[in-house]
Amino acid sequence: MSAQHDHSRCRELLGSLSDYVDGDLEEALCREIEAHMAECENCRIVVDTLRKTVLLYHVLPSDPPLPEAVEQRLFKRLELEHIIPSRSER
Amino acid sequence: MPEAISDLDILLSNEEALVAALHRGDPLGCTALVKRFGGQMYAVALRIVDDPDDAEEVLQDAFVTACRKMHTFEGRSKLSTWLYRVTTNAALMHLRKRRDDTVSLDEPQELDEGDVLPRQLGDWTVDPSQEALTGELRQVLEQAVRELPASLRAAFVLRDIQGLSTEEAAEALGITPGAVKVRLHRARLALRERLAGYLSEQPQPIRA
């Protein structure tokens, strides 16, 4: 951060940045963060990369189905293996 | 001729019918619970305990509890939220048994301000909205989650990977929505630091 920049404001705003990227922050504080970012390149990058961090995890592929062997052992533990046939038997 | 809709199909598509079946102890209800939510709960267990064998044990404990204690589900939340709570509890209990008992899983670790202050300040060229996740990037993302402290990891997995709301994650974790937000924020900041090493154009550690 530049020598002229007041770091204390960066630290104060840091705790609100997740709410900011989630759109959960009150309007006045949003404007304050945006005004700060206009003057602070480091905070602009932190907000941008924090948002990208969240988005990257949102685009992870959805959960795969339960592996069949795991499912069969679970049914056995639950004493339900007689209820439905395994996928390979259908 | 289309196949007849089975009783299991009905339970898989109708949560009210599923809850009723579970409440009356119908084995088909528990079967449908596994079919409908098994994949999601296994994924959560695996991310929290980070071992396939342990995750399977957690999954089994969670579904045994869920099927036996269905009477404690009062329907005030979604069935999936209640099941996330049962699974997350089982996973965190498992970690307590596995690890040093003096390590608290109830409170976030890395509470020092210095641990969450941004240090990596290079820009990232990655565009998540366009990005088809490569196998390598996916591994980096998963590894970064594994390295989080357990309490932060559980909050992050439920909220940002499974997509629960703050309120749902709070219910699943048995903590306040405010505490979820604090843990989530710390988790995200920690992940941002770790991902920066891979995604940053020019990692520039901040100087004090």
Side-chain angles (χ1 to χ4, degrees), chain A residues 7-82:
Chain A
H7 299 314
S8 63
R9 196 68 191 122
C10 305
R11 290 189 180 208
E12 285 168 19
L13 293 175
L14 182 65
S16 301
L17 297 187
S18 267
D19 280 345
Y20 176 71
V21 302
D22 286 341
D24 287 342
L25 207 56
E26 59 186 75
E27 187 68 17
L29 200 43
C30 286
R31 298 289 83 81
E32 207 176 319
I33 287 173
E34 282 154 13
H36 177 81
M37 283 194 294
E39 295 179 349
C40 178
E41 174 71 359
N42 285 343
C43 281
R44 186 195 65 71
I45 289 174
V46 170
V47 168
D48 180 58
T49 52
L50 191 65
R51 181 177 282 126
K52 284 176 174 169
T53 298
V54 175
L55 288 173
L56 280 169
Y57 283 98
H58 285 182
V59 299
L60 272 181
S62 53
D63 302 326
L66 198 55
E68 180 164 8
V70 175
E71 185 185 271
Q72 288 306 309
R73 288 192 290 270
L74 175 56
F75 280 139
K76 192 170 180 190
R77 168 90 187 270
L78 294 167
E79 299 174 356
L80 293 170
E81 68 268 38
H82 60 286

Side-chain angles (χ1 to χ4, degrees), chain B residues 95-131:
Chain B
L95 286 183
R96 282 191 189 96
K97 275 192 275 179
R98 195 172 77 184
R99 290 182 184 165
D100 182 348
D101 286 341
T102 59
V103 175
S104 168
L105 300 171
D106 298 321
E107 293 299 324
Q109 291 103 58
E110 297 185 12
L111 283 171
D112 292 345
E113 191 185 37
D115 288 327
V116 294
L117 275 181
R119 294 178 185 283
Q120 298 284 349
L121 294 166
D123 239 330
W124 299 0
T125 51
V126 65
D127 178 0
S129 64
Q130 304 287 322
E131 202 77 13

Side-chain angles (χ1 to χ4, degrees), chain B residues 3-4 71 147 167 173 204:
Chain B
E3 276 186 43
H71 58 276
E147 290 169 4
E167 290 70 26
L173 292 167
Q204 299 169 1

Side-chain angles (χ1 to χ4, degrees), chain B residues 35-113:
Chain B
K35 288 282 180 192
R36 185 159 168 191
F37 297 110
Q40 280 168 261
M41 298 308 145
Y42 182 64
V44 166
L46 192 53
R47 285 199 168 100
I48 294 177
V49 300
D50 189 27
D51 178 273
D53 292 337
D54 287 354
E56 186 171 342
E57 202 175 309
V58 166
L59 183 77
Q60 292 188 2
D61 289 348
F63 275 89
V64 165
T65 302
C67 292
R68 285 185 187 154
K69 294 196 171 174
M70 196 58 211
H71 58 276
T72 64
F73 174 67
E74 296 171 350
R76 283 186 297 211
S77 60
K78 287 195 285 190
L79 183 57
S80 58
T81 305
W82 181 77
L83 206 49
Y84 275 124
R85 177 167 193 161
V86 174
T87 305
T88 306
N89 276 344
L92 294 177
M93 283 286 286
H94 198 87
L95 286 183
R96 282 191 189 96
K97 275 192 275 179
R98 195 172 77 184
R99 290 182 184 165
D100 182 348
D101 286 341
T102 59
V103 175
S104 168
L105 300 171
D106 298 321
E107 293 299 324
Q109 291 103 58
E110 297 185 12
L111 283 171
D112 292 345
E113 191 185 37

